[in-house]
C-alpha cells in the first residue's frame, strides 16, 4: 500500500447511487393461487407480492447483486443509508419487503405455498 492512503470500508465508494422501487402487485394481501393470478400481467410477467427497494450504482458495467433481508417487523427502506453505502462500492442491493407489516405479526396467510 505504499503511496496510497487506506480509508477502509467505512468510506463511501467511488460511485453515485440511484434508486429503483418496484411496487407490490394489487391484492398483495391474498395468498396462494389467488395471489398468483392477480399479479400475473398480460405479458406473462408478474409483480412481486411486496415492494422491492433497489440501490443501483450509476454508470454502465456489470455489478454483483446482494439481497438484503431486513429485520423483523421493519420496512426495507429503513436500510437506505446502508444500501447506498454498499451500492457505492459497485454492488446492486435489492431489499424486498418481506411482508406487509400492517398485517401484524401473524403472516400465516402470506406464506402459504402456491398449490
Amino acid at each position: 500500500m505504499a503511496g496510497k492512503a487506506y480509508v477502509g470500508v467505512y468510506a463511501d465508494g467511488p460511485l453515485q447511487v440511484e434508486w429503483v422501487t418496484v411496487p407490490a402487485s394489487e391484492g398483495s394481501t391474498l395468498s396462494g393461487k389467488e395471489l398468483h393470478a392477480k399479479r400475473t400481467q398480460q405479458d406473462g410477467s408478474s409483480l412481486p407480492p411486496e415492494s422491492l427497494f433497489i440501490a443501483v450504482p450509476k454508470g454502465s458495467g456489470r455489478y454483483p447483486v446482494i439481497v438484503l433481508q431486513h429485520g423483523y417487523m421493519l420496512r426495507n427502506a429503513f436500510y437506505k443509508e446502508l444500501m447506498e453505502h454498499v451500492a457505492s462500492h459497485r454492488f446492486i442491493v435489492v431489499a424486498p419487503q418481506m411482508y406487509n407489516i400492517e398485517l401484524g405479526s401473524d403472516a400465516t396467510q402470506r406464506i402459504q405455498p402456491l398449490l
Side-chain angles (χ1 to χ4, degrees), residues 10-113:
Y10 298 107
D12 289 335
L15 300 177
Q16 296 293 314
V17 175
E18 55 190 9
W19 297 95
V20 177
T21 301
V22 179
S25 61
E26 291 183 30
S28 63
T29 58
L30 302 175
S31 64
K33 291 180 183 178
E34 205 172 35
L35 174 61
H36 181 69
K38 275 233 183 224
R39 62 180 203 223
T40 301
Q41 300 180 55
Q42 297 295 336
D43 65 359
S45 65
S46 64
L47 292 171
E50 298 296 341
S51 65
L52 299 175
F53 193 46
I54 306 170
V56 181
K58 287 186 179 180
S60 61
R62 295 176 61 157
Y63 304 106
V65 176
I66 295 174
V67 178
L68 184 143
Q69 302 292 128
H70 64 75
Y72 183 68
M73 297 300 285
L74 297 174
R75 294 193 184 279
N76 52 5
F78 290 173
Y79 294 89
K80 183 176 182 178
E81 289 82 10
L82 174 63
M83 293 172 66
E84 184 172 28
H85 179 77
V86 173
S88 75
H89 287 277
R90 297 183 172 92
F91 289 91
I92 295 172
V93 185
V94 179
Q97 181 63 45
M98 298 308 296
Y99 40 76
N100 186 333
I101 65 173
E102 284 80 23
L103 295 177
S105 61
D106 183 8
T108 306
Q109 183 183 22
R110 300 286 297 130
I111 59 175
Q112 302 225 349

